[in-house]
Amino acid sequence: MATIGMDLNRFILEEERKHAQATGSLTLALTAITSAAKIIAAHVRMAGLADVIGTTGVINIQGEVVQKLDEFSNKILVQHLSDSGQFYALASEEMEEPLFPEKGRNGKYVIAFDPLDGSSNIDVNVSIGTIFSIHRKVDGTINDFLQEGRKQVAAGYIIYGSSTVLVYSTGNSVNGFTLDPSVGLFLLSHPDMQIPERGKIYSINEGYFNRWDEDLKSHVSALKEKGYSLRYIGSMVSDVHRTLIKGGIFAYPADTKNKSGKLRLLYEAAPMGFLIENAGGMATTGTENILDVKPSELHQRVPVFLGSRGDIQEIIG
Ligand code: P6P
């Protein structure tokens, strides 16, 4: 029985024991992620002090200037995930093509991740995060990554905020663990997270209002009429974490400039959609459940509307 304060490692092992056919591979996979997260958290804490603020001048495949912490976080994740031997392939927002770790030749899983989402907020000390999505290896080709989000084996995020919280699901419950830096352990703090059926917060970049279609404009205006509050941090992990806890709706829609929105399907929308749906909410592109979208390429973008079931149903009609 999961109790508040339970150590994440014990929680993962107890989860594994519930599945007779479990081989311990997913346990090792998740353990590698948590080890990397602790190191990233320590460096994010130091960002204001050590010379990790500012950019490397490198332009990543998204055409964005890479912040040093981005590169560092990607390097740490690649190292720990590779060393675990559980992953046949790794895909990252920071890498144009997947990596195939030598030690992962017999790995059962592939993982896609955004090593440090929201990195444009590093210099202003706003919460940022790591997002990950784990699928079973299918045939050792790119098809391993191009699976619908509903097939994820596990997904989660780590938010580096006033505290470091890891939230993940393997398809049933969603559970949150807060890092106790004094002992270096993630301890269960948010057992069996359930998103409220409705919220009173909407989270969208209203600066793009003039680029939205008329439907969306009228929906957002209706939310204002109903007295919803606007909360938008501009860091997806932070905005989704708040939505998961408080309810309401987070959206990054398509618009006249970004025809498919900005957020990436494989390592942003699908993992977050997996968590929100397993917590009782909804995640859609506006026309299709995000978890049913069949990916066509590694870094493709999709429009995102996710949050409380009641709020999402209202906005998509
Ligand atoms: P905008 C951060 O750069 C990010 O990828 C997500 O974390 C965030 O939700 C979004 O972009 C913010 O984008 O256009 O509102 O600044």
Side-chain angles (χ1 to χ4, degrees), residues 117-118 120 205 208 232 234-237 250 252 262-263 268:
D117 179 76
S120 55
N205 189 334
Y208 305 148
Y232 190 74
S235 172
M236 185 189 194
V237 175
F250 166 77
Y252 203 108
K262 175 182 182 184
L263 302 177
E268 289 176 324

Side-chain angles (χ1 to χ4, degrees), residues 221-235:
S221 302
L223 292 174
K224 294 175 195 264
E225 285 302 309
K226 290 198 291 185
Y228 275 54
S229 298
L230 170 61
R231 293 286 184 277
Y232 190 74
I233 301 168
S235 172

Side-chain angles (χ1 to χ4, degrees), residues 64 93 114 116-121 131 204-206 208 211 232-240 250-252 258 262-264 268:
E64 297 160 345
E93 181 180 37
D114 186 348
L116 206 60
D117 179 76
S119 54
S120 55
N121 292 299
I131 312 171
I204 190 169
N205 189 334
E206 287 224 31
Y208 305 148
R211 304 195 316 219
Y232 190 74
I233 301 168
S235 172
M236 185 189 194
V237 175
S238 304
D239 283 316
V240 172
F250 166 77
Y252 203 108
N258 296 313
K262 175 182 182 184
L263 302 177
R264 314 290 169 179
E268 289 176 324

